[in-house]
Amino acid sequence: MAERRLRTAASVAGTVAAVYFSARLVTTVFFWIAAELSGTHSRFGPDATISSLAMGWDAQWYWVIADQGYPSQLPVDDTGRVTQNAWAFLPLFPWTARALGTVLGGYPTGAIVLAAVAGYAASVVFFLLLRDRLGDTAALWAVVFFANGPLAAMFQMGYAESLGLLWLFLALWALLRRRFVWMYPLVVLLGFTRPGVLAFALLLGLYGIHRWIRRRDDPLPGSHIAHIIALGALATIVGFAWQVIAGLATGDPSAYLETELAWRRDWVGSEEQFVPFAGFVTAARVWFGIWGLPPIWGPIALVILVVGAAAVLIRSSQVRRLGPEIRLWGASYLVYLLAVFFPQSSTFRLLLPLSPVAAAVAVPRSRWWRIGVLVICLAGQWVWIHEMLALGDTFYRIP
């Protein structure tokens, strides 16, 4: 039995590796073309290389954290407003990449290798997460779409996304298997890698309600109740911990919030304050104005989008195949984004944690459907790399 499990694990690891690293070769080609196309107006200039593209944009902030740490005094502009600084980024990725870089010859190499390896590990867990619900073939196709998707460049850039996805997929897998003890360290790791652990706290609350409603068909022992409550409390504490740490380190209790608002104020002005759920409404007006459309249409379009997403989560037979845990995660994360996020050009990147829900496109259909989805994924990946890296010359081309 143990030998058969070992062979099965090796087979899964090998098959996913073939898919994942083939995808990385495609992305590398896209990076090379983007570097060749980079010109004088690009952020990366005419001498761009694959390495410079991989360490662009927010990867620079992580490098600053690894090299200099976090500021003890918040930087401010002439009006006294807090400006963009490292407190907006969580520490686990840059610290791990720095440690890895001491062995591999420098931080950039450590960051890129960490992102790539974490992306592979996340792909393996992604397959395991989906296999029991979708079957081996559909789960493998979901990995194909995930590894080649429009945001696949993240697996080769000095960003924390792939490491955050690894912790998230492991936590969801543990939730599906009801391995609650395993989730305690995963919640902490997730909370100090990428923002979003508060969405996981909401998931646990909704999951607890779901289990309670179905307790006659699916018994809910006291130990499960205790774990769900404890994990929800832990995720909530971890979700606010970085704000407390930033406040203690800088002497300003609002350090983290003001830092996050520094990015938002570049769009809407220096007087912007944080109000839950207001960011998306404001941004909808801003974007429709940028597109030359009546700003009042923005909130209307937002309502239609939210209703459409809710309908997909509730009624789509393909999404229902994923099971209640993944559907509840999708709902929780969307509510979290609506509550705290101001949609900018990085919106697509912040949708990556919805990958388990997006796996519904791999639910058994025709071979041509899957080939078509793969073509769309690759086309989207090239468009993203071209816009954000080859060009990267204006406010809506910031990943």
Side-chain angles (χ1 to χ4, degrees):
M1 180 67 71
E3 184 179 351
R4 185 172 65 183
R5 288 180 179 175
L6 186 61
R7 286 199 304 269
T8 300
S11 176
V12 168
T15 302
V16 173
V19 169
Y20 179 80
F21 289 106
S22 296
R24 301 286 61 76
L25 290 176
V26 173
T27 302
T28 299
V29 171
F30 286 165
F31 267 60
W32 177 76
I33 298 173
E36 292 296 309
L37 294 176
S38 180
T40 55
H41 297 293
S42 168
R43 176 184 177 90
F44 298 94
D47 298 322
T49 64
I50 292 175
S51 297
S52 66
L53 297 183
M55 290 302 297
W57 298 110
D58 285 357
Q60 293 288 311
W61 283 111
Y62 287 115
W63 196 350
V64 167
I65 293 167
D67 187 51
Q68 303 173 19
Y70 293 90
S72 58
Q73 184 172 353
L74 294 173
V76 296
D77 60 19
D78 294 339
T79 67
R81 291 287 189 183
V82 174
T83 59
Q84 297 175 6
N85 65 85
W87 282 109
F89 302 89
L90 293 160
L92 188 57
F93 178 84
W95 290 355
T96 305
R98 181 180 63 184
L100 192 58
T102 60
V103 179
L104 298 178
Y107 177 83
T109 303
I112 295 170
V113 169
L114 176 59
V117 172
Y120 166 63
S123 297
V124 172
V125 181
F126 192 55
F127 175 84
L128 298 175
L129 178 66
L130 299 170
R131 179 172 61 177
D132 290 344
R133 300 287 170 81
L134 303 184
D136 285 4
T137 301
L140 187 59
W141 271 103
V143 172
V144 171
F145 302 149
F146 176 68
N148 290 281
L151 277 297
M154 290 292 102
F155 301 132
Q156 292 173 232
M157 297 182 70
Y159 275 62
E161 261 66 19
S162 55
L163 188 61
L165 290 173
L166 172 59
W167 307 138
L168 171 63
F169 294 168
L170 282 169
L172 289 173
W173 181 84
L175 184 63
L176 262 66
R177 296 297 182 107
R178 300 180 181 177
R179 307 285 179 85
F180 296 108
V181 174
W182 296 10
M183 294 171 65
Y184 289 92
L186 290 169
V187 164
V188 176
L189 291 169
L190 177 61
F192 286 97
T193 302
R194 284 286 301 148
V197 73
L198 287 176
F200 203 84
L202 177 58
L203 163 65
L204 289 164
L206 295 176
Y207 173 77
I209 294 172
H210 170 77
R211 290 286 307 277
W212 177 261
I213 292 173
R214 297 192 67 253
R215 64 189 184 280
R216 289 185 178 178
D217 300 320
D218 181 9
L220 180 61
S223 60
H224 285 198
I225 295 174
H227 280 304
I228 292 168
I229 293 173
L231 284 165
L234 176 62
T236 303
I237 292 170
V238 172
F240 288 103
W242 192 241
Q243 298 182 39
V244 175
I245 292 170
L248 293 174
T250 62
D252 183 351
S254 63
Y256 178 75
L257 180 59
E258 290 298 316
T259 296
E260 289 289 355
L261 288 175
W263 269 267
R264 185 180 299 194
R265 286 170 180 147
D266 287 344
W267 289 72
V268 294
S270 61
E271 299 305 315
E272 175 72 6
Q273 300 295 323
F274 174 72
V275 178
F277 296 100
F280 259 85
V281 177
T282 301
R285 295 193 185 100
V286 170
W287 277 106
F288 269 67
I290 291 172
W291 295 332
L293 299 171
I296 189 61
W297 290 4
I300 296 173
L302 176 63
V303 171
I304 294 172
L305 187 63
V306 170
V307 172
V312 169
L313 288 172
I314 294 171
R315 300 193 59 83
S316 170
S317 60
Q318 288 80 18
V319 175
R320 288 202 301 270
R321 282 279 301 275
L322 299 170
E325 296 87 354
I326 290 177
R327 293 165 65 202
L328 290 174
W329 164 248
S332 300
Y333 189 70
L334 287 173
V335 169
Y336 167 78
L337 288 183
L338 286 170
V340 306
F341 185 56
F342 182 90
Q344 305 169 25
S345 56
S346 59
T347 300
F348 293 110
R349 175 167 59 86
L350 294 182
L351 294 177
L352 269 174
L354 292 174
S355 295
V357 180
V361 299
V363 170
R365 289 189 176 106
S366 71
R367 179 180 301 176
W368 289 110
W369 165 269
R370 287 167 169 166
I371 292 174
V373 172
L374 177 58
V375 170
I376 292 172
C377 286
L378 291 171
Q381 182 183 164
W382 166 245
V383 169
W384 191 92
I385 290 173
H386 178 261
E387 293 293 308
M388 305 297 177
L389 302 181
L391 298 180
D393 56 358
T394 189
F395 66 94
Y396 57 80
R397 290 177 174 142
I398 302 174

